[in-house]
Amino acid sequence: MSRKRLGDLLVESGLITEQQLETTLRRKSPEEKLGDALLQEGHITEQQLAETLERQLGIPRINLYQYPMDPEVIQLIPRDLAKRHQVMPIRKENHKLFVAMADPMDYFAIEELRMATGYQIIPALATKEELQRTISKHYDLQESLDEALSGYTVEETLDETGITDEDSPVVRLVNQIINHAVTQRASDIHFDPMETELKVRYRIDGILRTERSLPKHMQNVIIARIKIMGNLNITESRVPQDGRIKMNVNFKPVDIRLSTLPSVYGEKIVMRILDLSNALGDLENLGFAEDNLHKFIDMIEKPNGIVLITGPTGSGKSSTLYAALNRLNSEEVNIITIEDPVEYQLDGVNQVQVNEDIGMTFASGLRSILRQDPDIIMIGEIRDLETAQISIRSSLTGHLVLSTLHTNSAVAALTRLIDMGIEPFLISSSLTGVVAQRLVRRVCRDCSEVLPPTEREKEIFQASGLEINYIHKGRGCPSCTMTGYRGRIAIHEVLTLDNHIRELIMNAESSFKIRQYVQESGMKFLLADGLLKVAEGLTTTEEVLRVAAME
């Protein structure tokens, strides 16, 4: 019986169109597999590919995330072989060894595994990402941990070679913890000293999760190693320190911001991972609703004025600013930024780093920038009256100024500037618009299912003047580590200043009145924008209510 071709099966399942298949077949190189090419183009997900291959090849697909791993079976396949072919041994039965593979038709790999183990190899299907995570966890992280545990006893003190020699167990363990975090798409790694252990936690899609607990006696060597990586003073543990680490993980450049804080049980360390390969998005991919996107582009394409982006820490303000700069960046304009710290380096943009120790503050840096003939100025954050005043003067003298402010809503940014001590007439003449944003987790594409809304959800939608007939929720699957969410999307409210709002500011009217006016003129607040994204099946009501308050 002849097997159906993968492309035809995917078209039949309605996962891709005939046209997408033809375009991909034309574009891909001869040695590239069709499945990989379709993944690269973003037409299908890894789970969808695995499910279709399961139907095509008749080879069972397994869920590695929930599979109990036997250390004895894992030892049958050496680490370098598992990594080279991206395979994971899962169980043995008499003379058969069951192995999870992304490509069960790779006969060279199967033959090499048979020669290496002496077992008959029975392939099973798993996604590439699941395999990478499982190999990283069971081969790399576990091996480094076992090695480090056997290498350090409770009595042992810190020795210099143990934390500087690249082959030492502790160095390998720390590298593996970072590698594993990058593989899991974590944005932060927390090393939390507790009374009897050192907890390692990852923040994935905005939510913290304990990854593993390390023995208390390893705390000092691990913290010392991380401090050496960030060029910090390892003898000083009583004051907070900040540093940076640049490294390559899986051949991708990763920039890590490091912060230490003395706590009761030792120094707590947080590493913020800036993955440089997916740093710069286009404005179109940030999740703006169409009308909000047009409003925002109109704001940033004006020749002068101030555009503010507001929201709490970790709400994606920097990403939006960088995406805006990316759009405006061309040879005809001189863009200068002043940031603390410079997170992502942009080609063709002059970036200045704040250094308070030597008096290089936002305000003093801004004064110098104005003598550099800029067209567009980006200020990392408006923190004080002086910075706000210079920003406003810059916008009135013909510059476009982009910056961020910590407030809860777009309207609150206006009162925040007045509270800082800025004259209302200056705000009304210089401010072009304000964008408030938050990040919500995206429903996982692989395990999303359609459900009827609850009564409470119907009430919430009705209160915002919207109707909902069904919602999307993730069941939980290996690609979202059983959370039902994968990746994040932004929700926004975009306030454009018109003449009436300028008049209200000039007359020092309350934020309540301004809010009432913008609501009547049809502006969508965060909650409404979030609920529209729930209706589109992108996120859930719980996520929106987690970050945006009910009116």
Side-chain angles (χ1 to χ4, degrees):
M1 181 185 119
S2 68
R3 255 207 322 257
K4 272 197 171 176
R5 289 185 308 183
L6 175 67
D8 298 336
L9 274 172
L10 288 166
V11 173
E12 267 176 40
S13 318
L15 295 172
I16 58 170
T17 62
E18 283 280 4
Q19 193 182 352
Q20 285 172 333
L21 175 62
E22 279 167 31
T23 323
T24 309
L25 283 169
R26 268 203 312 277
R27 276 194 204 142
K28 79 177 189 73
S29 57
E31 56 279 359
E32 194 180 10
K33 296 188 182 113
L34 174 64
D36 291 344
L38 287 165
L39 281 175
Q40 200 75 38
E41 305 260 328
H43 295 321
I44 54 170
T45 66
E46 288 207 24
Q47 294 288 336
Q48 291 166 341
L49 176 62
E51 281 162 21
T52 313
L53 282 171
E54 181 179 20
R55 293 212 325 266
Q56 183 200 21
L57 307 172
I59 289 175
R61 185 173 157 267
I62 62 153
N63 181 340
L64 281 179
Y65 188 73
Q66 292 173 315
Y67 208 91
M69 292 295 173
D70 181 349
E72 269 183 39
V73 175
I74 290 172
Q75 281 166 7
L76 291 173
I77 294 182
R79 175 173 144 201
D80 57 335
L81 201 57
K83 288 186 103 162
R84 189 165 73 244
H85 293 303
Q86 290 288 295
V87 296
M88 190 74 204
I90 44 179
R91 66 189 170 97
K92 62 175 184 177
E93 219 173 75
N94 304 327
H95 292 294
K96 293 176 182 169
L97 178 63
F98 291 80
V99 177
M101 315 174 67
D103 179 10
M105 307 304 285
D106 187 343
Y107 297 116
F108 292 111
I110 291 173
E111 188 55 27
E112 197 174 335
L113 292 171
R114 188 184 67 78
M115 302 279 282
T117 60
Y119 283 85
Q120 182 193 345
I121 303 295
I122 308 290
L125 253 168
T127 67
K128 261 191 188 160
E129 190 184 4
E130 271 181 88
L131 285 162
Q132 270 173 356
R133 280 190 201 171
T134 316
I135 291 168
S136 161
K137 188 171 181 174
H138 290 281
Y139 276 102
D140 299 339
L141 204 50
Q142 199 53 49
E143 204 170 292
S144 306
L145 184 56
D146 295 343
E147 202 180 341
L149 283 172
S150 60
Y152 286 89
T153 55
V154 182
E155 295 79 33
E156 199 154 329
T157 52
L158 276 181
D159 73 316
E160 192 62 31
T161 52
I163 49 179
T164 52
D165 176 14
E166 285 302 315
D167 285 329
S168 88
V170 164
V171 171
R172 298 236 298 264
L173 174 62
V174 171
N175 288 348
Q176 284 309 331
I177 289 173
I178 297 171
N179 284 7
H180 194 51
V182 174
T183 314
Q184 298 262 39
R185 307 180 342 277
S187 60
D188 302 79
I189 309 173
H190 290 236
F191 291 86
D192 292 343
M194 301 287 158
E195 191 173 0
T196 55
E197 60 187 2
L198 174 69
K199 269 195 175 150
V200 180
R201 298 195 291 169
Y202 290 167
R203 187 180 290 281
I204 300 171
D205 290 338
I207 306 290
L208 266 176
R209 207 176 63 212
T210 301
E211 185 57 33
R212 56 186 52 233
S213 297
L214 301 174
K216 185 71 177 173
H217 69 262
M218 290 184 65
Q219 180 176 306
N220 289 346
V221 275
I222 286 174
I223 286 171
R225 169 59 195 161
I226 295 169
K227 285 165 88 171
I228 278 183
M229 289 170 82
N231 291 326
L232 303 182
N233 179 356
I234 63 167
T235 56
E236 180 55 84
S237 59
R238 295 160 305 167
V239 293
Q241 298 183 62
D242 291 310
R244 273 193 110 131
I245 301 169
K246 271 196 157 80
M247 62 193 290
N248 277 332
V249 175
N250 302 334
F251 310 108
K252 286 192 301 193
V254 172
D255 205 349
I256 295 170
R257 290 219 313 261
L258 192 60
S259 162
T260 75
L261 183 73
S263 74
V264 181
Y265 296 119
E267 283 179 283
K268 172 175 166 66
I269 289 190
V270 176
M271 303 170 101
R272 160 66 58 90
I273 302 169
L274 303 166
D275 186 348
L276 303 178
S277 57
N278 58 15
L280 292 176
D282 291 331
L283 282 176
E284 285 76 9
N285 302 340
L286 292 180
F288 275 102
E290 206 164 319
D291 54 337
N292 281 344
L293 180 64
H294 292 314
K295 280 188 202 168
F296 184 55
I297 290 173
D298 283 348
M299 282 182 205
I300 62 172
E301 288 184 343
K302 284 191 164 55
N304 57 353
I306 295 186
V307 176
L308 290 177
I309 297 175
T310 78
T313 310
S315 57
K317 299 189 296 291
S318 300
S319 302
T320 307
L321 272 183
Y322 280 119
L325 285 183
N326 218 10
R327 187 183 179 93
L328 299 168
N329 191 1
S330 72
E331 280 189 2
E332 293 84 58
V333 289
N334 177 17
I335 302 178
I336 305 183
T337 76
I338 178 158
E339 305 166 60
D340 179 23
V342 172
E343 288 189 9
Y344 300 116
Q345 270 104 33
L346 290 169
D347 275 350
V349 174
N350 309 286
Q351 293 170 284
V352 179
Q353 169 96 30
V354 165
N355 185 345
E356 307 232 338
D357 299 342
I358 55 166
M360 175 66 160
T361 60
F362 276 116
S364 62
L366 250 178
R367 281 199 199 88
S368 312
I369 284 174
L370 289 171
R371 295 194 279 275
Q372 292 275 325
D373 180 33
D375 297 293
I376 298 167
I377 301 168
M378 191 268 262
I379 303 156
E381 188 188 330
I382 294 180
R383 290 180 186 167
D384 51 43
L385 176 60
E386 198 181 356
T387 311
Q389 283 172 333
I390 304 169
S391 310
I392 282 177
R393 274 203 297 267
S394 316
S395 72
L396 293 172
T397 51
H399 303 95
L400 173 66
V401 180
L402 303 173
S403 188
T404 70
L405 200 64
H406 283 275
T407 64
N408 286 331
S409 69
V411 174
L414 308 175
T415 45
R416 172 92 177 92
L417 290 170
I418 293 171
D419 289 346
M420 274 183 170
I422 294 176
E423 296 294 342
F425 74 89
L426 282 174
I427 298 171
S428 72
S429 51
S430 62
L431 196 62
T432 305
V434 186
V435 176
Q437 82 170 42
R438 300 284 187 281
L439 291 176
V440 290
R441 289 184 292 169
R442 211 185 245 275
V443 173
C444 171
R445 258 173 73 177
D446 292 320
C447 58
S448 164
E449 54 184 359
V450 178
L451 299 170
T454 61
E455 287 307 313
R456 177 76 184 119
E457 279 176 317
K458 285 181 186 167
E459 283 169 26
I460 292 165
F461 272 81
Q462 269 163 3
S464 296
L466 300 165
E467 207 177 290
I468 183 92
N469 299 319
Y470 55 84
I471 54 160
H472 286 74
K473 266 208 172 121
R475 275 191 316 275
C477 67
S479 68
C480 60
T481 55
M482 310 315 277
T483 57
Y485 298 102
R486 185 184 162 94
R488 288 191 290 176
I489 188 170
I491 59 173
H492 304 88
E493 58 187 38
V494 180
L495 169 68
T496 316
L497 269 70
D498 61 16
N499 290 335
H500 188 65
I501 297 177
R502 292 182 201 283
E503 207 174 294
L504 292 172
I505 297 171
M506 292 276 284
N507 297 337
E509 293 288 0
S510 67
S511 58
F512 175 73
K513 261 204 165 155
I514 298 174
R515 197 176 171 84
Q516 221 174 0
Y517 167 71
V518 294
Q519 194 164 13
E520 283 161 13
S521 52
M523 176 178 140
K524 277 204 298 281
F525 292 124
L526 280 171
L527 183 71
D529 190 46
L531 293 178
L532 284 173
K533 289 190 168 69
V534 175
E536 286 173 41
L538 296 171
T539 185
T540 60
T541 319
E542 296 89 65
E543 272 299 290
V544 174
L545 293 178
R546 187 171 64 84
V547 297
M550 291 283 287
E551 299 308 314

